[in-house]
């Protein structure tokens, strides 16, 4: 199976842009969709990006997703940061047998 | 409105059995995968497995295969996560979630906190 590696933490100021990476250890990042989930403290996760770059209804367009085959990684970019964006973010993908994998999570601090 | 309502918090002793539940409503329960995710205290999300209630097709993470049983009762739109013999290391929050497709979740339950302590 493969792993998804994320930075442990990132921080940025309100109004700025931050990018969180998610690197796949084996197999092509492009071969299976990548999703991103947001988990605020004390709450259940919610989906902010699905199928690499699609936003569910209700998710602001400040959130965007992309993949980069050259680095075998996916990225979540949040622009115009707000204090409410402070949360843990997890990437998730799956393999050909439909076994899912979560990344270790990235704690975003907006200060 | 799609809702996943999980059973309440549990406090158990090592060696005891447990079955927690997740009731779906607001959608066709038999037409979408339901999965379970573990979150140990202060840690990240871990995918445990998924079940398709329509035909009970079930997939387990290798890390959880043989350790838990995932099932569903489509007559009452409820999925279950079961342990036959709990360990202290099973202490965690457990989330159920509805699969929008076979490869990602779109709705999550509120979580069930399981505490295993002697």
């Amino acid at each position: 199976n493969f792993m998804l590696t994320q930075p442990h933490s990132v921080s940025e100021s309100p109004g700025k842009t931050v990018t969180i990476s998610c690197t796949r250890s084996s197999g092509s990042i492009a071969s299976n969709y990548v999703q991103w989930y947001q988990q605020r403290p004390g709450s259940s996760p919610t989906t902010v990006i699905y199928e690499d770059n699609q936003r569910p209804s209700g998710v602001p367009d400040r959130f965007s997703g992309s993949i980069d085959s050259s680095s075998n990684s996916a990225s979540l970019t949040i622009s115009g940061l707000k204090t409410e964006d402070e949360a843990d973010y997890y990437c998730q993908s799956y393999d050909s047998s439909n076994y899912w994998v979560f990344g270790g999570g990235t704690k975003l601090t907006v200060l | 409105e799609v809702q996943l309502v999980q059973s309440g918090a549990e406090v158990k002793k090592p060696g005891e059995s447990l079955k927690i539940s997740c009731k779906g409503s607001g959608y066709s329960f038999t037409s979408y995968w339901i999965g379970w995710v573990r979150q140990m205290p202060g840690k990240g999300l871990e995918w445990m497995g998924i079940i398709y209630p329509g035909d009970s097709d079930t997939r387990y993470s290798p890390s959880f295969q043989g350790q838990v049983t995932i099932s569903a009762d489509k007559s009452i739109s409820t999925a279950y996560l079961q342990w036959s013999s709990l360990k202290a290391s099973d202490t965690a929050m457990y989330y159920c979630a509805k699969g929008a497709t076979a490869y990602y979740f779109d709705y999550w339950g509120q979580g069930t906190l399981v505490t295993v302590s002697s």
Side-chain angles (χ1 to χ4, degrees):
Chain A
N1 218 334
F2 65 94
M3 296 194 320
L4 296 172
T5 300
Q6 301 179 231
H8 181 67
S9 63
V10 295
S11 61
E12 191 49 271
S13 304
K16 300 291 192 180
T17 297
V18 70
T19 297
I20 299 171
S21 63
C22 170
T23 302
R24 181 165 172 155
S25 62
S26 61
S28 171
I29 193 73
S31 60
N32 307 102
Y33 287 125
V34 175
Q35 283 63 236
W36 292 89
Y37 302 94
Q38 176 193 67
Q39 186 180 31
R40 294 189 173 109
S43 297
S44 301
T46 62
T47 311
V48 292
I49 293 290
Y50 68 96
E51 293 179 355
D52 297 340
N53 55 18
Q54 302 299 302
R55 273 179 292 105
S57 60
V59 174
D61 60 6
R62 301 184 297 105
F63 289 80
S64 62
S66 63
I67 62 168
D68 179 357
S69 294
S70 66
S71 60
N72 213 36
S73 65
S75 294
L76 171 69
T77 298
I78 310 171
S79 59
L81 275 169
K82 300 185 177 185
T83 54
E84 69 203 45
D85 299 331
E86 190 161 287
D88 294 326
Y89 291 86
Y90 296 90
C91 59
Q92 174 259 313
S93 191
Y94 53 98
D95 68 12
S96 56
S97 301
N98 201 21
Y99 294 117
W100 302 22
V101 175
F102 283 103
T106 299
K107 181 177 179 61
L108 169 62
T109 302
V110 182
L111 36 66
Chain B
E1 178 197 6
V2 173
Q3 283 195 314
L4 296 171
V5 178
Q6 298 186 228
S7 49
E10 302 273 2
V11 179
K12 291 289 191 179
K13 293 185 177 352
E16 292 186 331
S17 63
L18 176 64
K19 192 174 190 177
I20 62 175
S21 66
C22 169
K23 182 172 177 59
S25 62
Y27 72 100
S28 174
F29 184 77
T30 55
S31 301
Y32 295 89
W33 294 85
I34 281 204
W36 289 94
V37 175
R38 182 175 80 175
Q39 187 166 39
M40 299 178 76
K43 301 297 185 184
L45 305 177
E46 299 174 88
W47 181 74
M48 302 177 73
I50 50 174
I51 186 167
Y52 190 78
D55 61 8
S56 295
D57 184 8
T58 308
R59 318 278 171 85
Y60 290 94
S61 162
S63 300
F64 292 94
Q65 178 85 48
Q67 308 304 309
V68 297
T69 301
I70 294 171
S71 60
D73 184 340
K74 56 188 179 184
S75 69
I76 55 172
S77 301
T78 300
Y80 300 97
L81 179 65
Q82 183 174 2
W83 295 260
S84 58
S85 181
L86 287 160
K87 311 180 191 68
S89 56
D90 292 318
T91 294
M93 181 72 82
Y94 292 88
Y95 294 101
C96 69
K98 170 186 167 289
T101 65
Y103 49 79
Y104 81 94
F105 295 130
D106 56 355
Y107 291 92
W108 295 67
Q110 84 275 21
T112 295
L113 180 62
V114 174
T115 304
V116 184
S117 174
S118 54

